[in-house]
């Protein structure tokens, strides 16, 4: 999994692999990639925000602003189906 | 000279048979006949570009991108318009209305409750189309509406007399497929089951008076809480 918290804000990923099974982290990566970002780190780099809107119960991403400044809203429950899990890219830094 | 009594009796018998043969049954009332909705305000506003939404095609299908944050929208203006679009059966209007309602209910919070009275007419219009897909979509939206915020279920109780009569007509629309499999059940497209589900949600979230009001409009409904 990508270790985002201790990485420098301008870091580039060293490698990429595909997710094998669904977890909460994979769900969030799926949501970031739907919006056109690699992961939370790139979103914070591009949008210059500190915090990301999340659902309090599940911790999943709730709202993201895309590069064209439109907004994607996500459900509080899981959106990434099992058939889409292998499409999620996991970056390591 | 008068006719022979036997001939007269035969003529009378023939006249009676002809009268009986002319009697036909009553015409169909058309309770289940679909009634297409008139052009909606949703379609008019969408074609004018008044909605802050755009259609995005991703690998999974379609998705809505909002040009304005939902939290900043005027719910009194937009939510009834999106509900009005539930009558639509054509793409992309149907998709935008359905997904727009879903997003606004998911992120509306306390802004939804004051708008409930304005949603009743669009809900009634959608149910009155008697279109199976529109009814299924509307029932799922009603379930979402009731759980979307506090007190919404109770706020809907006074309006049961306007939205439940149609459910009474379709409540027993379950296919008798013998020992076959009804896939519409697992896809949540079976109207009879959806109506039962919706009424149960109404009862769970409608407070103390919900059951009696539902029973008044749908007499065959049995409580899911008082068992």
């Amino acid at each position: 999994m990508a270790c985002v918290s201790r990485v420098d804000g301008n870091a580039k990923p060293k490698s990429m692999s595909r997710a094998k099974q669904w977890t909460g982290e994979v769900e969030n990566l799926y949501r970031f990639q739907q919006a056109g970002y690699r992961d939370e780190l790139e979103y914070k780099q591009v949008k210059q925000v500190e915090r990301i809107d999340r659902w309090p119960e599940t911790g999943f991403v709730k709202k993201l602003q895309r590069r064209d400044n439109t907004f994607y809203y996500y459900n509080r429950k899981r959106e990434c189906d099992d058939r889409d899990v292998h499409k999620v890219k996991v970056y390591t830094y | 000279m008068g006719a022979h009594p036997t001939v007269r009796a035969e003529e009378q018998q023939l006249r009676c048979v002809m009268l009986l043969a002319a009697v036909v049954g009553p015409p169909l009332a058309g309770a289940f006949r679909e009634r297409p909705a008139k052009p909606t305000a949703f379609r008019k506003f969408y074609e004018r570009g008044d909605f802050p939404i755009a259609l995005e095609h991703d690998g999974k299908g379609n998705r809505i991108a909002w040009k304005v944050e939902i939290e900043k929208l005027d719910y009194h203006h937009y939510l009834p318009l999106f509900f009005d679009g539930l009558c639509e059966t054509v793409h992309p209007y149907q998709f935008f209305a359905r997904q727009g309602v879903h997003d606004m209910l998911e992120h509306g919070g306390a802004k939804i409750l004051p708008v409930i009275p304005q949603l009743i007419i669009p809900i009634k219009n959608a149910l009155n189309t008697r279109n199976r897909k529109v009814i299924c979509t509307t029932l799922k939206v009603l379930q979402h509406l009731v759980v979307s915020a506090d007190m919404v279920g109770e706020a809907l109780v006074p309006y049961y007399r306007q939205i439940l009569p149609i459910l009474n007509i379709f409540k027993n629309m379950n296919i008798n497929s013998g020992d076959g499999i009804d896939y519409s059940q697992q896809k949540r497209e079976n109207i009879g089951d959806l109506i039962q589900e919706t009424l149960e949600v109404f009862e769970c979230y409608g407070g103390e008076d919900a059951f009696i009001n539902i029973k008044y409009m749908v007499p065959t409904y049995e409580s899911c809480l008082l068992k």
Side-chain angles (χ1 to χ4, degrees), chain B residues 203 207-216 221-223 226:
Chain B
E203 187 187 355
E208 291 171 356
D209 298 331
F211 173 65
I212 192 69
N213 282 279
I214 294 171
K215 190 76 173 173
Y216 184 74
Y221 174 73
E222 292 297 335
S223 171
L226 295 175

Side-chain angles (χ1 to χ4, degrees), chain A residues 44-60:
Chain A
K44 285 181 175 173
Q45 284 172 7
V46 171
K47 288 296 167 187
Q48 295 294 310
V49 294
E50 292 288 327
R51 295 178 61 184
I52 291 169
D53 277 325
R54 293 176 187 271
W55 288 107
E57 306 93 354
T58 53
F60 296 151

Side-chain angles (χ1 to χ4, degrees), chain B residues 42-92:
Chain B
F42 175 83
R43 189 184 282 227
K44 188 174 82 176
F45 277 72
Y46 175 79
E47 284 169 357
R48 271 186 357 198
D50 283 350
F51 288 128
I53 50 177
L55 187 64
E56 295 292 330
H57 301 280
D58 61 15
K60 207 173 165 181
N62 294 329
R63 196 174 189 100
I64 254 186
W66 290 85
K67 295 177 190 167
V68 171
E69 293 176 76
I70 290 179
E71 297 86 2
K72 296 184 180 160
L73 285 178
D74 177 9
Y75 267 59
H76 281 278
H77 175 66
Y78 285 106
L79 193 58
L81 283 174
F82 275 100
F83 266 77
D84 201 43
L86 291 176
C87 294
E88 295 287 348
T89 53
V90 173
H91 181 78

Side-chain angles (χ1 to χ4, degrees), chain A residues 32-47:
Chain A
F32 280 111
Q33 286 164 22
Q34 282 260 299
Y37 303 96
R38 279 195 303 267
D39 49 26
E40 182 176 345
L41 191 66
E42 191 189 16
Y43 181 76
K44 285 181 175 173
Q45 284 172 7
V46 171
K47 288 296 167 187

Side-chain angles (χ1 to χ4, degrees), chain A residues 58-84:
Chain A
T58 53
F60 296 151
V61 169
K62 181 177 172 183
K63 179 177 93 177
L64 292 174
Q65 189 174 24
R66 299 173 75 221
R67 294 172 198 266
D68 59 5
N69 293 328
T70 57
F71 295 91
Y72 266 7
Y73 285 85
Y74 299 96
N75 293 336
R76 67 185 82 212
K77 294 182 187 171
R78 174 180 170 177
E79 285 197 11
C80 178
D81 295 335
D82 285 338
R83 61 170 178 244
D84 296 325

